[in-house]
Amino acid sequence: MKAHLYIAILVCFVSASAHAAERPNIVFMMSDDQAWNGLSVPMHPDLDWSKSSIVDTPNLERLAAQGMRFSAAYAPASVCSPTRISLQTGKSSAAMHWTKAAPAETGHKMIEPRNIRSIPASEITIGELLQSAGYATAHYGKWHINGGGPAANGYDDGDGDIGNEYAHEYADPNPADIFGMAKRAVAFMEKNKQADKPFFIQMSWHALHAPQNAMKETLAKYAAKMGSSVDEKRVGSAAIAENLDTGVGMVVDAIDRLGLADNTFVIYMSDNGSGGGGGKGGGKRGGLTGGKGGVWEGGIRSPMIIRGPGIPADSWCHERVVGYDFYPTYCEWADIPGSKLAPGIEGGSIAGLLDDGKGTVKRPREEMVFHFPHYQGGDGPHSALYLGKHKLLKFYEEDRLALFDMETDISEQNDLSKQMPQRVKELDSLLVKYLDDVDAQMATPNPNYDPSKEPVVRKGGGGGNKTNKEKTNRRKKQ
C-alpha cells in the first residue's frame, strides 16, 4: 500500500510539472507612438497604404510571415499612460479614470476632468495574477503609471518607475535603450529556461521617443532616403523605428535560439496611433483620420502581430480586438480560472481567434468605447463607440454626432449620421449608458470661457475641428 501511495504522489508531481511546462511563455512588445501603417508590414491585405513606404522593419516582416496580423487592432487609448494602465488592469482608461497623459489645458470652452495619474494599489494587475500562477514576470522599459513601479505590481524584474525622460539618456550605440532592454529580456529568458519556469515579459519600448538619438548610420540612411526638405524629427522617427525593429529581432532570435519558439507567444503592438498618412483621411493613397490624442482611427488603430503555438504562418484576423483583451487572454493561456480575475474586467480572450483568424471575442459588453474628455488633437472632448460595422463619434463642445461604416470607410470620410438617425440614436444611448456605468469622468462647461483667449490648439490629432478659426466658424453656423 505504501508503494502504491508513493507512485500516486509521484504521478501527481510529474503531472503538475508537465502541466507547468505546457503553459506557454508570453513576450509582449509595445512600441511608443507608432502608426498603424508605420511598419514595412502591410496591416490590411487590400490597402497598399497600410504599410510605410519609407521605414524598413525586416524583423517585423519576418514575424508577420511566421504569425498572424490583425487588421482591426486597437490600443486601449489614444495616448500612452491610459493605454498602459489599461493593459495592466484589463479595464478601459475611462473606467480607470486616467484618460490623458499630458497635463490638463485651461481656457477652453469646457474644463477637462482631473485624472488619478497612478495605478491604484487595489487593482489586481496582470503581473500579479501571472506571478501568483507560478510565472516568472518582468517588465522592461517605460512604466509611466506610477504606483510604485513594476516591482510593486507583480513583476520579479524590471527597470523601475520610469517614463519618457529615460529614452533621452541613451544614444548611439544604444538608442533609447533599445538594445539594453533586449539584452535584459534575453538574460531573463535564459535564466527561466534553465529553471524550467514559464515566463511573462512585457517590453514597453521607449522608441519612437528620442528620435534624434537613433543610430548615426541609420539617421544618415533616412536623411538620404527622405531628402533635405524633410525635417529632422521625421528622419529621426524613421531611423529609430528601424533601430527598434533590430531590437525586436534580437528578442525573437533569442527565443528561436533557446528552443522556446514552440511554446512562446510573441505579441507586437503600439501604445497608440500616430496619424495615418494624410490628416483628414489621407489623400490619393488613402490614410487614417486623426492621430495621437483623438479617437479617430489614426489615434487608436494599432499595428498588431502575434506569433506562437498553433498560429498559422502568414495569416490574418479581421475581427476587432483591443489591448485590454490580453488580460483575459493571458489568464486563459496560464490556466488561471475566471473566478480569480478582478471584477470589472472589460476585455475578452482572443485565444479562440488564433487558429484561423475567425470567431468572436466575448466581452461583458458587445459595444467597445474609447473616451477622451480632453483637449489635445484639435477636436476637444470626444468619445467613440463601436458596434458591429458602425462607429459613432460624439463631440461634446458642439453636441455633435458622426457615424461611419468601418467595413467600407476605414478613413472615416463619409458621415452617415443624417442618413441613419435611428442608428445614431441607438448608439448614442449605449455610449451614454456605458460612460455612466463606469462612472467615467466628463468635461464640464467652463463658466469663465472667453473665446478671444482660447489657447492655441496643440498639434497631433484632429479629425475634424482643428483650428480656433474653424471652431468659431462652426459655432456661427449653429
Side-chain angles (χ1 to χ4, degrees):
M1 186 177 290
K2 189 177 287 188
H4 286 303
L5 180 61
Y6 285 146
I7 291 170
I9 292 171
L10 180 62
V11 167
C12 287
F13 275 121
V14 170
S15 298
S17 175
H19 176 67
E22 289 168 2
R23 292 187 297 169
N25 307 305
I26 305 164
V27 178
F28 174 78
M29 294 188 274
M30 183 168 66
S31 58
D32 199 305
D33 289 354
Q34 192 164 44
W36 180 66
N37 55 355
L39 316 178
S40 58
V41 184
M43 279 296 124
H44 196 289
D46 303 324
L47 302 174
D48 62 350
W49 54 264
S50 67
K51 71 172 186 176
S52 173
S53 59
I54 299 295
V55 177
D56 295 323
T57 55
N59 291 293
L60 286 165
E61 288 181 34
R62 178 163 53 97
L63 190 69
Q66 296 169 344
M68 182 176 288
R69 276 171 278 183
F70 290 74
S71 66
Y74 292 84
S78 64
V79 286
C80 64
S81 296
T83 281
R84 293 162 201 279
I85 198 170
S86 182
L87 290 168
Q88 292 302 318
T89 61
K91 302 174 184 178
S92 72
S93 61
M96 293 305 302
H97 290 180
W98 197 346
T99 44
K100 189 180 184 183
E105 295 182 9
T106 59
H108 291 288
K109 187 178 180 182
M110 302 189 82
I111 299 171
E112 297 184 30
R114 186 183 296 274
N115 288 173
I116 59 165
R117 305 187 72 79
S118 182
I119 184 169
S122 58
E123 290 294 324
I124 301 173
T125 69
I126 190 60
E128 289 167 333
L129 272 179
L130 291 172
Q131 191 180 59
S132 67
Y135 272 69
T137 56
H139 184 286
Y140 299 115
K142 181 176 169 180
W143 178 252
H144 214 48
I145 51 176
N146 299 319
N153 288 279
Y155 293 92
D156 302 315
D157 195 22
D159 294 333
D161 188 0
I162 57 176
N164 288 333
E165 72 288 343
Y166 193 83
H168 298 275
E169 298 176 16
Y170 293 85
D172 192 341
N174 180 26
D177 199 26
I178 291 168
F179 307 136
M181 284 177 59
K183 289 174 182 176
R184 293 193 291 280
V186 171
F188 190 79
M189 289 190 286
E190 291 172 339
K191 173 184 174 183
N192 286 287
K193 183 196 174 180
Q194 192 78 21
D196 196 26
K197 190 171 185 179
F199 57 79
F200 167 60
I201 303 173
Q202 177 165 330
M203 303 198 68
S204 296
W205 304 102
H206 301 282
L208 307 180
H209 278 288
Q212 71 280 4
N213 287 5
M215 300 281 284
K216 292 182 178 64
E217 182 180 355
T218 322
L219 283 168
K221 168 186 170 178
Y222 284 98
K225 191 174 185 178
M226 299 171 75
S228 58
S229 62
V230 178
D231 65 77
E232 290 183 5
K233 185 175 181 181
R234 285 181 59 200
V235 171
S237 293
I240 207 162
E242 182 172 323
N243 294 160
L244 173 58
D245 180 79
T246 302
V248 170
M250 290 170 63
V251 175
V252 176
D253 286 347
I255 291 169
D256 296 345
R257 174 172 48 81
L258 292 169
L260 299 171
D262 290 342
N263 196 39
T264 301
F265 286 101
V266 181
I267 303 159
Y268 184 89
M269 72 174 296
S270 176
D271 67 343
N272 51 253
S274 183
K280 180 83 171 68
K284 292 181 180 179
R285 292 190 68 243
L288 298 181
T289 295
K292 183 175 180 178
V295 298
W296 297 86
E297 293 299 286
I300 52 179
R301 193 176 280 241
S302 166
M304 185 183 291
I305 304 167
I306 305 181
R307 187 193 83 168
I311 299 178
D314 199 19
S315 55
W316 288 90
C317 177
H318 302 298
E319 295 298 316
R320 190 176 295 130
V321 299
V322 63
Y324 51 73
D325 288 334
F326 285 123
Y327 190 109
T329 304
Y330 297 161
C331 289
E332 181 173 341
W333 287 340
D335 286 340
I336 297 171
S339 59
K340 287 195 173 183
L341 273 65
I345 298 300
E346 296 186 60
S349 174
I350 67 170
L353 301 177
L354 301 179
D355 292 334
D356 58 7
K358 295 181 173 61
T360 57
V361 181
K362 295 181 180 179
R363 304 182 185 93
R365 296 173 185 264
E366 190 179 358
E367 67 272 19
M368 183 187 297
V369 173
F370 296 84
H371 183 52
F372 194 77
H374 306 283
Y375 291 84
Q376 183 163 330
D379 291 297
H382 62 302
S383 305
L385 179 142
Y386 295 80
L387 184 63
K389 67 179 184 178
H390 289 124
K391 175 182 180 179
L392 180 81
L393 278 162
K394 185 170 187 174
F395 304 92
Y396 295 99
E397 261 202 8
E398 307 164 83
D399 193 23
R400 179 168 64 94
L401 296 163
L403 182 71
F404 301 96
D405 182 336
M406 299 313 298
E407 289 184 359
T408 61
D409 186 21
I410 190 175
S411 296
E412 298 171 290
Q413 293 294 287
N414 185 24
D415 181 359
L416 302 173
S417 58
K418 296 292 190 294
Q419 294 100 300
M420 304 180 67
Q422 190 57 40
R423 183 61 167 168
V424 169
K425 184 178 180 181
E426 172 194 349
L427 298 185
D428 186 33
S429 295
L430 287 172
L431 176 61
V432 170
K433 185 178 188 310
Y434 170 83
L435 294 173
D436 184 60
D437 287 349
V438 301
D439 192 27
Q441 295 177 305
M442 306 296 292
T444 55
N446 180 2
N448 301 314
Y449 174 63
D450 183 348
S452 68
K453 296 181 180 179
E454 184 163 339
V456 175
V457 176
R458 293 178 57 187
K459 295 180 180 179
N465 191 10
K466 292 186 178 180
T467 68
N468 292 333
K469 183 177 180 181
E470 287 172 353
K471 283 184 180 182
T472 302
N473 290 340
R474 192 186 294 273
R475 288 185 192 120
K476 286 178 179 177
K477 292 177 183 178
Q478 290 178 335

